[in-house]
Amino acid sequence: MLAKKIMRNPQAVVGLILILLIFLMAVLAPILAPNDPNEVDITRKFLRASSEYPLGTDQLGRCVLTRLLYGARCSLCLAVPILVILASVGTFLGMMGAWIGGLFDRILSIVCDIFMAFPPLVVVLALVGMLGQGAVNLVISIIFSMWVWFVKVIRSYVLMEKSKDYVLASKIAGCSSAKILMGHILPNIFPFMIVYFSTSISSIILMISGYSFLGLGLGNDTAERGAMLNSAKQYLYSNPNLIVYPGICILLTTAGFNLFGEALRDIFSLEED
Amino acid sequence: MLEVRHITKQYTVKNQRKGENVFTSVDDISLKLKPDSSYALIGESGSGKSTLAMMMAAVLPPTHGEILMDGKDIWKLTPKERRRLRGDLQLVLQNSKGALDPRKTVYQSIEEPLKNLCQLSREEQQRTIYEIVEKVQLEKSLLTRKPNELSGGQQSRVCIARAMCLSPKFVIFDESVSGLDVTVQKKVLDLLLELRKEFHGTYLFITHDIDVALYMSDHIFVMKEGHLLDEVQNALSYDAFQHPYSRELIASLPPKSPHYRL
Amino acid sequence: MKPLLEVNNLSISLKKQGIPIVEGVSFQLKKGQILGMIGESGSGKSMTCRGILGLLDTHRFSLSGTASFQGQNLFQLTPKEMQMLRGEKITMVMQNPMTAFDPVCKVGRQMLETLRSHRKLSKVSAMKSIKAELERLGLADTQRIMDSYPYELSGGMLQRIMIALALLLSPELIIADEATTALDVRTQGAILEEFSKIREAGIAMIIVTHNFGVLAKLADEVVVLKDGGIVERGDVFEIFDKPTQGYTKKLLQASNLRKEISNA
């Protein structure tokens, strides 16, 4: 039923195709890639597109296409675990806050408000400054700056659902709190959560690339698109293609998740009527 | 026996302009429901009748007072004991569409209280469900449907089946037929009368419609703004009501026929 | 005398699926007359009224038949003419008054705006007539009501305000679509009283309901609808005393709960 609706929505289909392509790129990178992503050969720098290097080489003579394919791996390998952690923390705390209410909820809300008062960039700057550059530190700082949003959003979904009559009715039918939360509320807010997660993953990917571009995330030696942009920016005039290719890749990746998420939101809101 | 003793429910309403306000929804109400009898409670919207129903059904704690079920105060029990008690104390909510989880089938909805409150084998469970579904006159083909594929009358039958499958000693029906068409309403009311003959429980029908109250029971309570104003036993017609407020309610009923038009 | 409203063979169907909702409904309404439309939900009574008033989305529904009001064919009016007619000659009172008001705007201002968009009145004189009308309807505390937001007032009060507004526009016809269904007995009684005063003022009404009591109190003529068509029509006394159709009998029986007790 839902699958049929997704298939009938062109926006969702485009988004889904893009997402599938990105996953395929990440999984099949070693097979698809013509070269080693980290093989440096200074003599072959800034080569034009050829059969050996389909998109040319960069300032260190590395194959651009190969690095872009591995870049998909890099984005997803960081973004997916981040999302999983954020989703579980957000779901657990959000549900607890909304369900228990009272003092626990008030303290949780205050903590969330404090965290929300800091812009994410400042948090990441401070953390990376303290912990140093690197993938793990990037993950920690993104989680640190984003978890409150997940808690807040899921808490509001649960609150909305909790006030509905069927929750009271299941209480009368003898359900325990855990049963009501897991058996009734979670399945009913799940579609909304998927929409939120789908649009969040694109902002996480954008954050990873963005911080790497600013030199806060992964180093320039890794095949990460933001880092590629960073090292390519000095050659903007002589070799603009080095900036254009990773830019397009980032755009398509985030667009895929965003399109899919937004389309899902439309589909679910139609279902409500 | 279900006995309500001096029960009061107060809410603190925070108002930005006027500061904190204490609003008393139910004010010092006492009543007794004897086993195997039927009662009706009349009240307008805002009279606190739903609040009273929720306190009696052990889902909303009262501010003061106690509710004794067979001598035990249900609000002094542990949450676990109170949950076990729901097998004998059921509430059917007003909004039957909203009272059903939109993602569960009719079968799953009716199965839920049985799973939670009765130790039955799978076969016994299935048999009970088929029996009750037949009793509330729902077609078996509806069991696999979701609530939004049912009509209003069918939804309220599912809610009734859900409560009745436990054969509880006490059932409170909170406006369970308002919002239904007259023909459907009549059918559901007749069904409830039949079920009562069969299950021998104590039923409390909460309604704003005096005709419904009289149709369902001859022991009627009248509630207004949180107070219990009138209690009429052997109420067989409008004449049984003496309290000025009850008379006022009766006077504002539309006429039964155009001949009685004033 | 020519009828005020004449509906001939009105049919409404869903365009996309071609499902008929209302089929061949015809009725007439004379000046100052009250027509009761009764039927279960899904019988097409609300759709008929909305179709007549041009309130249906023409992309979703297709209409056929004619409806003429004071000799004007309603289906040939431009949307703008229809809108003017809706405010000045025909007004509607709906089931849920809460949704008819803008929740963030004070009630008084909304009444003033509606009144002044249809009548050329100064603010002061419009205010005066609103207050007078509210007082006539038994809402004494007018200043407080005008300064309240819709959510601060009860459903019965909002419904009375809707009726006051409908009356202020001094229409020829008021259509009340389940106007008392969501209300308590006492509020319903008060509003029915109000409607019978409207009748005395010579304004015609169409009352849509599923409650026979409302018709017993008010209607002159009754049409009984089922599945989009009229099954029975007649004078209100005939319908109550000698219903000819089984469906009407069934409805009457179901709505009269008390009778059965006294028989039993």
Side-chain angles (χ1 to χ4, degrees):
Chain A
M1 198 57 213
L2 186 61
K4 217 188 244 171
K5 273 187 188 152
I6 290 174
M7 283 306 147
R8 243 184 278 146
N9 184 322
Q11 194 184 336
V13 173
V14 172
L16 204 59
I17 290 173
L18 281 173
I19 294 173
L20 281 177
L21 274 179
I22 294 152
F23 271 94
L24 277 180
M25 272 166 78
V27 173
L28 301 179
I31 303 169
L32 293 175
N35 298 293
D36 185 321
N38 295 319
E39 193 188 85
V40 176
D41 187 350
I42 301 290
T43 59
R44 292 173 171 228
K45 66 178 179 182
F46 300 130
L47 285 184
R48 283 179 187 278
S50 62
S51 57
E52 195 185 347
Y53 301 106
L55 291 177
T57 59
D58 66 358
Q59 72 283 3
L60 294 175
R62 295 174 294 196
C63 173
V64 172
L65 178 66
T66 308
R67 285 177 70 75
L68 286 177
L69 287 174
Y70 277 91
R73 252 187 182 197
C74 202
S75 299
L76 289 181
C77 282
L78 288 176
V80 172
I82 290 176
L83 183 75
V84 170
I85 295 172
L86 283 174
S88 10
V89 170
T91 309
F92 181 74
L93 284 178
M95 277 182 137
M96 286 297 130
W99 188 253
I100 298 169
L103 190 65
F104 177 76
D105 189 38
R106 237 181 298 160
I107 292 172
L108 187 71
S109 292
I110 292 171
V111 172
C112 285
D113 287 340
I114 292 171
F115 269 85
M116 278 167 138
F118 295 104
L121 185 62
V122 174
V123 177
V124 175
L125 260 176
L127 280 172
V128 173
M130 255 164 28
L131 304 170
Q133 232 183 12
V136 177
N137 295 344
L138 184 65
V139 170
I140 292 175
S141 43
I142 289 178
I143 290 173
F144 200 72
S145 64
M146 276 185 88
W147 70 275
V148 279
W149 297 94
F150 278 71
V151 172
K152 274 247 158 175
V153 166
I154 288 166
R155 177 178 166 271
S156 72
Y157 289 157
V158 177
L159 275 183
M160 188 179 73
E161 218 54 34
K162 188 188 165 186
S163 64
K164 292 192 177 163
D165 270 348
Y166 73 83
V167 173
L168 180 61
S170 12
K171 202 171 164 189
I172 295 167
C175 290
S176 59
S177 290
K179 230 177 200 167
I180 294 176
L181 276 171
M182 302 311 289
H184 290 284
I185 292 183
L186 195 62
N188 275 292
I189 64 170
F190 195 67
F192 303 104
M193 283 165 66
I194 292 295
V195 172
Y196 185 68
F197 293 162
S198 176
T199 43
S200 304
I201 199 165
S202 81
S203 53
I204 294 171
I205 290 172
L206 207 59
M207 263 179 141
I208 295 170
S209 295
Y211 292 143
S212 304
F213 174 71
L214 292 175
L216 294 171
L218 303 166
N220 285 355
D221 49 334
T222 42
E224 203 285 326
R225 286 142 179 189
M228 286 167 77
L229 278 179
N230 185 18
S231 45
K233 68 177 187 279
Q234 334 171 22
Y235 314 106
L236 177 63
Y237 293 106
S238 55
N239 290 72
N241 52 336
L242 288 184
I243 274 198
V244 171
Y245 295 138
I248 289 174
C249 280
I250 294 173
L251 181 77
L252 290 180
T253 313
T254 50
F257 286 106
N258 265 331
L259 283 174
F260 185 65
E262 296 289 340
L264 270 187
R265 191 197 312 264
D266 290 347
I267 290 169
F268 289 136
S269 65
L270 280 179
E271 215 178 34
E272 292 285 286
D273 305 335
Chain B
M1 180 134 95
L2 193 65
E3 195 180 349
V4 174
R5 280 192 194 157
H6 302 290
I7 203 165
T8 299
K9 180 73 190 178
Q10 288 175 326
Y11 294 102
T12 318
V13 186
K14 273 183 197 150
N15 190 316
Q16 284 175 340
R17 270 176 289 174
K18 295 159 201 154
E20 279 192 6
N21 247 337
V22 174
F23 170 70
T24 308
S25 172
V26 171
D27 197 355
D28 193 24
I29 283 187
S30 304
L31 49 90
K32 262 186 209 172
L33 306 185
K34 289 191 195 109
D36 195 13
S37 15
S38 88
Y39 299 87
L41 175 79
I42 306 173
E44 294 184 87
S45 56
S47 61
K49 56 190 194 310
S50 292
T51 312
L52 178 65
M54 290 208 277
M55 289 192 288
M56 287 172 73
V59 281
L60 183 76
T63 317
H64 306 294
E66 47 194 12
I67 295 161
L68 306 177
M69 183 172 152
D70 299 328
K72 272 182 285 181
D73 186 348
I74 54 175
W75 284 103
K76 288 217 176 84
L77 301 173
T78 64
K80 211 171 180 182
E81 286 171 320
R82 205 177 307 128
R83 205 159 70 227
R84 216 170 297 138
L85 179 131
R86 295 189 198 287
D88 276 328
L89 179 60
Q90 280 287 308
L91 169 65
V92 180
L93 294 174
Q94 176 169 8
N95 164 14
S96 40
K97 182 173 191 248
L100 295 168
D101 187 330
R103 283 175 203 278
K104 298 272 188 291
T105 62
V106 171
Y107 188 91
Q108 286 171 318
S109 285
I110 301 177
E111 185 186 31
E112 188 167 47
L114 286 173
K115 261 187 179 168
N116 288 332
L117 299 165
C118 303
Q119 267 81 42
L120 293 178
S121 68
R122 263 194 99 77
E123 290 79 48
E124 284 174 312
Q125 227 174 61
Q126 201 172 7
R127 192 153 20 92
T128 320
I129 292 171
Y130 282 137
E131 269 169 30
I132 195 73
V133 163
E134 207 184 306
K135 279 195 189 116
V136 300
Q137 295 148 28
L138 275 174
E139 285 160 46
K140 270 187 191 146
S141 60
L142 296 178
L143 282 171
T144 50
R145 303 258 187 103
K146 300 267 172 74
N148 62 356
E149 299 164 45
L150 305 179
S151 71
Q154 288 166 339
Q155 286 165 347
S156 74
R157 276 162 213 264
V158 175
C159 290
I160 291 166
R162 217 180 164 193
M164 298 310 295
C165 64
L166 300 162
S167 25
K169 282 194 228 160
F170 299 96
V171 197
I172 304 167
F173 296 91
D174 185 5
E175 294 272 16
S176 303
V177 293
S178 61
L180 297 177
D181 280 324
V182 275
T183 42
V184 185
Q185 168 175 323
K186 174 102 187 321
K187 276 186 202 150
V188 174
L189 291 178
D190 286 338
L191 167 73
L192 292 178
L193 287 175
E194 257 170 56
L195 288 175
R196 211 192 80 72
K197 271 186 212 152
E198 213 180 309
F199 286 94
H200 295 290
T202 296
Y203 290 15
L204 174 64
F205 298 96
I206 297 180
T207 173
H208 68 266
D209 191 333
I210 301 175
D211 290 334
V212 170
L214 275 170
Y215 191 62
M216 300 309 287
S217 167
D218 56 5
H219 193 145
I220 297 175
F221 302 100
V222 182
M223 218 177 141
K224 186 200 179 192
E225 288 163 10
H227 299 275
L228 198 62
L229 289 187
D230 201 0
E231 180 174 351
V232 182
Q233 300 181 29
N234 299 318
L236 295 172
S237 71
Y238 295 153
D239 304 334
F241 293 90
Q242 297 299 324
H243 194 279
Y245 176 71
S246 317
R247 298 303 318 170
E248 202 183 314
L249 283 179
I250 291 163
S252 53
L253 284 171
K256 292 281 173 258
S257 139
H259 296 291
Y260 304 134
R261 208 180 266 179
L262 289 174
Chain C
M1 199 178 82
K2 274 202 89 179
L4 181 73
L5 176 73
E6 190 169 5
V7 176
N8 256 321
N9 215 7
L10 175 75
S11 296
I12 303 171
S13 59
L14 268 175
K15 256 186 186 164
K16 216 168 162 187
Q17 297 92 333
I19 300 167
I21 299 168
V22 174
E23 280 177 296
V25 166
S26 315
F27 59 86
Q28 292 186 346
L29 186 63
K30 294 192 196 78
K31 193 172 182 301
Q33 204 184 29
I34 296 186
L35 175 77
M37 250 187 222
I38 196 159
E40 294 180 275
S41 51
S43 60
K45 48 195 188 334
S46 290
M47 291 303 270
T48 306
C49 293
R50 280 184 213 169
I52 294 167
L53 282 176
L55 288 172
L56 293 178
D57 183 355
T58 47
H59 297 290
R60 283 184 61 202
F61 301 98
S62 62
L63 273 83
S64 67
T66 58
S68 60
F69 179 77
Q70 295 180 323
Q72 256 180 317
N73 188 343
L74 291 178
F75 295 160
Q76 279 169 2
L77 296 179
T78 63
K80 193 151 189 202
E81 286 170 327
M82 194 74 212
Q83 207 185 337
M84 287 314 283
L85 188 79
R86 268 205 303 265
E88 283 165 20
K89 300 273 176 69
I90 309 176
T91 54
M92 194 160 176
V93 181
M94 300 206 245
Q95 175 169 7
N96 189 350
M98 211 48 129
T99 52
F101 286 93
D102 180 350
V104 294
C105 186
K106 282 181 184 165
V107 171
R109 226 186 96 200
Q110 292 187 51
M111 293 184 78
L112 206 65
E113 273 171 17
T114 317
L115 185 58
R116 289 185 70 205
S117 68
H118 290 289
R119 295 252 173 285
K120 284 204 182 71
L121 282 173
S122 73
K123 242 184 192 165
V124 181
S125 60
M127 208 64 171
K128 239 188 205 159
S129 46
I130 289 176
K131 277 191 183 164
E133 191 63 46
L134 286 177
E135 268 163 31
R136 223 173 57 77
L137 288 184
L139 295 171
D141 206 357
T142 46
Q143 194 54 52
R144 187 187 68 85
I145 291 168
M146 308 261 288
D147 284 337
S148 307
Y149 289 96
Y151 66 88
E152 295 176 310
L153 301 173
S154 69
M157 216 178 243
L158 286 174
Q159 195 62 291
R160 264 188 250 195
I161 293 170
M162 283 295 287
I163 292 167
L165 202 53
L167 285 174
L168 273 169
L169 298 164
S170 52
E172 309 270 338
L173 170 64
I174 294 179
I175 297 181
D177 185 359
E178 301 270 12
T180 59
T181 304
L183 303 176
D184 286 318
V185 199
R186 254 182 352 147
T187 329
Q188 168 172 300
I191 287 188
L192 293 183
E193 258 341 291
E194 232 40 76
F195 283 164
S196 48
K197 277 183 212 153
I198 294 175
R199 179 227 293 279
E200 282 155 27
I203 298 171
M205 284 188 82
I206 296 178
I207 293 181
V208 176
T209 182
H210 64 251
N211 184 342
F212 268 102
V214 172
L215 297 189
K217 172 101 185 155
L218 293 169
D220 300 311
E221 297 276 326
V222 176
V223 289
V224 183
L225 278 102
K226 188 198 178 193
D227 300 331
I230 294 180
V231 286
E232 185 164 3
R233 66 174 80 219
D235 179 71
V236 67
F237 291 98
E238 280 172 28
I239 295 278
F240 274 83
D241 297 341
K242 304 188 279 277
T244 57
Q245 299 298 315
Y247 182 69
T248 315
K249 285 181 200 160
K250 200 180 93 183
L251 277 182
L252 264 169
Q253 227 171 26
S255 70
N256 210 344
L257 290 172
R258 192 173 148 249
K259 219 173 180 177
E260 295 212 353
I261 302 174
S262 45
N263 287 350

